């Protein structure tokens, strides 16, 4: 720390707070801020709409979506794939036509060369002179029909260094918008939340602070409580219930159905604001940097 004196602004040390203040005033540097609990979605909200789910479904990786939102996303991705596939097929057809035209031109060129060598009346020199277009009275190459062949330095796509962009073959797989892993509509698991039964609470479901509870132990569910979904019925239970009750006999406590490890899908939580629960709690805004 620098000493506070009459000339306290003439310190030899450029402090951290001075650096942040100068960066904020100048508009340079990266601005970072810690994300609070109010900036993270709740555990029962859709990962796309960030609103409470009306028909909740979960992926194999444990990400919760509203059924309407995730199906709309899958349909839009399929339509985008079909559109890109049509463009790719059109490009392949054009390539085939160009290859066929080049082959025909090469064949015609060989035929013309053969005919020119077989003719003894007219010399090759006369043929080459007759093939060349007359340039008498031509002011520029534009009048010779070479307007499309000439480069243009003010149009990016017509510069001499510009290359024709090729369309790559699109990927037919649909990826999860959160985990970026392959996603299929048939792999979605319907989720059934258990409502909290409180006759004294007359608020609407969205306004309630405690909306859902564990289907077995009736513990209140929140972002701070690890949860899991039982695949056969879609019931949401706490991880503590699974460790202490279900994993002893691996039997569903509500239906007495035999369970396996694959039938238990941990539910990805939205966040609590604590570092032990979340991985990314800091938001950054990239700005131009000052270079010395």
């Amino acid at each position: 720390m620098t000493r506070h004196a009459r000339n306290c602004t003439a310190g030899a040390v450029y402090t951290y707070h001075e650096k942040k203040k100068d960066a904020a005033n100048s508009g340079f540097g990266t601005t970072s801020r810690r994300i609070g609990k109010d900036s993270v979605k709740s555990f029962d909200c859709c990962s796309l709409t960030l609103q409470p789910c009306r028909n909740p479904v979960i992926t194999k990786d444990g990400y919760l979506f509203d059924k309407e939102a995730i199906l709309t996303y899958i349909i839009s991705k399929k339509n985008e794939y079909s559109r890109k596939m049509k463009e790719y097929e059109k490009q392949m057809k054009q390539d085939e036509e160009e290859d066929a035209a080049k082959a025909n031109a090469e064949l015609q060129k060989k035929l013309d060369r053969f005919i020119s060598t077989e003719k003894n009346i007219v010399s090759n020199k006369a043929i080459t002179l007759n093939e060349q277009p007359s340039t008498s009275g031509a002011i520029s190459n534009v009048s010779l029909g070479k307007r499309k062949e000439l480069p243009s330095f003010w149009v990016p796509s017509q510069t001499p260094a510009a290359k024709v962009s090729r369309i790559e073959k699109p990927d037919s797989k649909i990826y999860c918008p959160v985990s970026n892993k392959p996603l299929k509509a048939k792999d979605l698991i319907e989720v059934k939340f258990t409502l909290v039964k409180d006759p004294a609470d007359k608020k609407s479901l969205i306004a309630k602070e405690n909306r859902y509870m564990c289907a077995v132990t009736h513990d209140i569910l929140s972002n701070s409580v690890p949860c899991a979904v039982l695949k056969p019925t879609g019931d949401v239970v706490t991880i503590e219930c699974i460790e202490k009750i279900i994993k002893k006999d691996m039997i569903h406590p509500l239906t007495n159905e035999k369970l396996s490890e694959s039938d238990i899908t941990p539910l990805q939580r939205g966040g609590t604001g604590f570092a032990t629960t979340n991985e990314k709690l800091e938001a950054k805004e990239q700005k131009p940097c000052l270079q010395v």
Side-chain angles (χ1 to χ4, degrees):
M1 265 182 88
T2 58
R3 292 183 179 181
H4 293 280
R6 292 179 181 177
N7 57 345
C8 58
T9 58
V13 180
Y14 190 39
T15 63
Y16 172 75
H17 295 285
E18 291 176 349
K19 185 178 180 181
K20 285 192 67 176
K21 184 178 179 181
D22 293 343
N25 294 333
S26 63
F28 290 92
T30 302
T31 304
S32 61
R33 181 176 297 178
R34 183 181 175 85
I35 300 175
K37 183 180 178 181
D38 55 344
S39 300
V40 185
K41 79 175 190 69
S42 181
F43 74 99
D44 60 335
C45 292
C46 174
S47 298
L48 281 175
T49 62
L50 303 181
Q51 299 296 325
C53 297
R54 291 182 294 179
N55 298 316
V57 292
I58 194 175
T59 63
K60 294 187 296 184
D61 301 316
Y63 293 99
L64 190 72
F65 294 97
D66 190 79
K67 191 173 184 180
E68 182 181 356
I70 192 63
L71 290 181
T72 304
Y73 171 80
I74 292 174
I75 292 172
S76 64
K77 287 296 181 182
K78 287 185 177 180
N79 293 337
E80 183 180 356
Y81 166 74
S82 61
R83 178 181 59 81
K84 290 183 178 179
M85 196 63 188
K86 288 181 180 178
E87 294 178 357
Y88 178 75
E89 291 176 353
K90 183 179 179 181
Q91 176 183 269
M92 296 299 294
K93 187 177 181 180
Q94 290 178 355
D95 293 344
E96 292 178 358
E97 291 177 355
E98 289 178 0
D99 294 341
K102 287 181 180 179
N104 293 333
E106 188 67 24
L107 184 62
Q108 186 66 29
K109 189 176 180 181
K110 290 181 180 179
L111 183 60
D112 294 341
R113 189 183 301 116
F114 173 76
I115 293 174
S116 62
T117 53
E118 292 296 324
K119 286 183 177 180
N120 297 325
I121 302 174
V122 183
S123 63
N124 293 333
K125 185 176 180 180
I127 295 176
T128 55
L129 290 174
N130 291 332
E131 289 180 352
Q132 293 181 355
S134 175
T135 58
S136 59
I139 301 175
S140 65
N141 289 331
V142 177
S143 60
L144 297 177
K146 294 187 177 181
R147 183 186 297 273
K148 296 182 180 180
E149 299 179 6
L150 295 177
S152 177
F153 293 93
W154 50 88
V155 181
S157 60
Q158 295 182 6
T159 55
K163 296 181 180 178
V164 179
S165 59
R166 301 284 300 174
I167 301 175
E168 300 293 336
K169 187 176 182 180
D171 191 359
S172 60
K173 293 182 180 179
I174 299 173
Y175 296 93
C176 177
V178 181
S179 63
N180 202 23
K181 293 183 179 179
L183 177 65
K184 295 181 180 179
K186 64 179 182 181
D187 295 335
L188 297 175
I189 306 167
E190 293 189 2
V191 178
K192 183 171 64 176
F193 286 107
T194 304
L195 295 173
V196 176
K197 299 178 182 179
D198 188 4
D201 195 355
K202 301 297 183 179
K203 296 180 181 178
S204 62
L205 184 62
I206 297 178
K208 287 182 180 179
E209 184 177 356
N210 301 324
R211 294 193 284 263
Y212 302 111
M213 62 182 181
C214 176
V216 179
T217 63
H218 291 185
D219 292 335
I220 301 299
L221 303 181
S222 63
N223 279 358
S224 59
V225 179
C227 307
V229 178
L230 302 179
K231 187 176 179 180
T233 59
D235 291 307
V236 181
V237 296
T238 60
I239 297 294
E240 184 180 3
C241 173
I242 292 175
E243 296 293 338
K244 294 183 178 180
I245 299 176
I246 298 178
K247 280 195 174 180
K248 289 183 179 180
D249 301 322
M250 292 302 290
I251 295 177
H252 199 297
L254 301 178
T255 61
N256 294 328
E257 185 180 351
K258 192 69 177 176
L259 298 175
S260 61
E261 291 291 339
S262 60
D263 293 333
I264 301 173
T265 304
L267 180 64
Q268 300 291 339
R269 290 178 283 174
T272 60
F274 295 100
T276 56
T277 305
N278 306 103
E279 296 180 358
K280 297 180 180 179
L281 287 173
E282 192 174 4
K284 292 186 178 181
E285 181 183 0
Q286 303 292 339
K287 294 182 179 180
C289 298
L290 286 172
Q291 296 182 358
V292 181

